[in-house]
Amino acid sequence: MSDPLNTMQGYQVLSALLLYPEPELQQELPALDGLLIETLPSWHASLQPLLAHLQATALIDLQQQYVMTFDRNPSQSLHLFEHIHGESRDRGQAMVDLLAEYSRHGLQMVGDDLPDYVPLFLEFLSQQDPSEAERLLGDAIHVLAYIGRKLRANRSSYACVFELLQTLTPVQAEELAEPPVRDMDEALETFGPGADGIEPLLKPGVVAGGVQPVNFYPKAAAPHH
């Protein structure tokens, strides 16, 4: 079993690997590779296809592939709620609930990403205690698994990240209905761009109360208790 502290650090690595490729990422890849080998060897084995691809491919090609994979293919979007709510007003409320969840844990966003951006969510998990991170991951795994299946079907090297995430929670991912039509304009107007700065994605903030549960899956697909 992995050391909980190593697992929390591992979420940060996964977050970094899913960000838009920048020169800094390529420079840090050998260090990330070594860190995973030393602390999370099973994760390293699972992530090897992506790590090898990132190290062997020219940066400009990685950036073009990233845009084609995530930005121009709605079924593989890295925005969790896009796969559930589409143009529905429920998407806006889901964003508000997720922001409240971040705030409840004493964190607030910086930068101009939407709150349901997968790298941001994974960084959030890295700052929780292991049991809370597992609970939150279990809530989101239905959508994450959906993205992973789409990536695997298209033979993307990024699929291994989402397949690894499915092994970190006992919750079995449920099938999602066909996602709604893509339309991010309303959400972007509401949530971004925001505060200046890009890194880190989260910073300590004031803890807020009165939080509503965050639902990462359609109500009809909610598990029975």
Side-chain angles (χ1 to χ4, degrees):
M1 181 177 294
S2 301
D3 184 291
L5 292 178
N6 292 341
T7 300
M8 297 304 100
Q9 193 172 37
Y11 282 126
Q12 289 185 314
V13 173
L14 297 182
S15 175
L17 292 177
L18 288 178
L19 290 171
Y20 180 77
E22 299 284 5
E24 294 77 11
L25 174 62
Q26 282 199 318
Q27 294 167 9
E28 292 297 324
L29 280 173
L32 293 177
D33 199 71
L35 175 67
L36 289 171
I37 291 174
E38 180 179 352
T39 62
L40 294 165
S42 64
W43 287 38
H44 180 264
S46 298
L47 296 170
Q48 188 56 38
L50 178 57
L51 293 168
H53 178 68
L54 292 175
Q55 294 185 71
T57 307
L59 181 62
I60 185 64
D61 293 330
L62 289 177
Q63 292 173 335
Q64 291 175 345
Q65 292 168 9
Y66 186 94
V67 170
M68 294 301 296
T69 298
F70 297 118
D71 298 337
R72 297 186 180 175
N73 190 333
S75 69
Q76 297 170 179
S77 170
L78 287 178
H79 291 96
L80 294 167
F81 296 137
E82 185 171 353
H83 300 288
I84 304 170
H85 301 300
E87 298 180 21
S88 167
R89 291 188 177 275
D90 291 341
R91 183 187 63 201
Q93 185 59 52
M95 297 267 197
V96 170
D97 293 342
L98 184 54
L99 279 172
E101 184 80 9
Y102 292 164
S103 179
R104 185 172 71 85
H105 287 80
L107 301 168
Q108 62 184 13
M109 291 176 55
V110 297
D112 56 5
D113 289 310
L114 295 171
D116 64 340
Y117 184 47
V118 173
L120 175 61
F121 178 70
L122 293 176
E123 183 177 329
F124 172 58
L125 295 186
S126 78
Q127 300 184 38
Q128 309 311 308
D129 63 64
S131 61
E132 181 69 354
E134 184 177 293
R135 180 188 72 80
L136 291 162
L137 177 62
D139 286 344
I141 201 61
H142 314 283
V143 187
L144 294 168
Y146 173 86
I147 298 170
R149 288 193 296 271
K150 293 294 185 179
L151 291 169
R152 177 57 62 195
N154 289 323
R155 300 182 180 180
S156 170
S157 299
Y158 285 98
C160 61
V161 174
F162 296 86
E163 291 164 354
L164 172 59
L165 287 170
Q166 291 184 71
T167 71
L168 305 180
T169 171
V171 177
Q172 294 298 307
E174 300 180 16
E175 292 286 340
L176 295 184
E178 191 64 24
V181 176
R182 176 190 178 99
D183 183 357
M184 297 296 288
D185 291 344
E186 178 186 346
L188 287 169
E189 289 175 2
T190 303
F191 294 99
D196 57 355
I198 298 176
E199 296 293 347
L201 298 173
L202 291 163
K203 66 179 182 179
V206 179
V207 177
V211 178
Q212 298 297 317
V214 181
N215 293 311
F216 291 100
Y217 43 82
K219 293 180 180 178
H224 296 291
H225 296 289

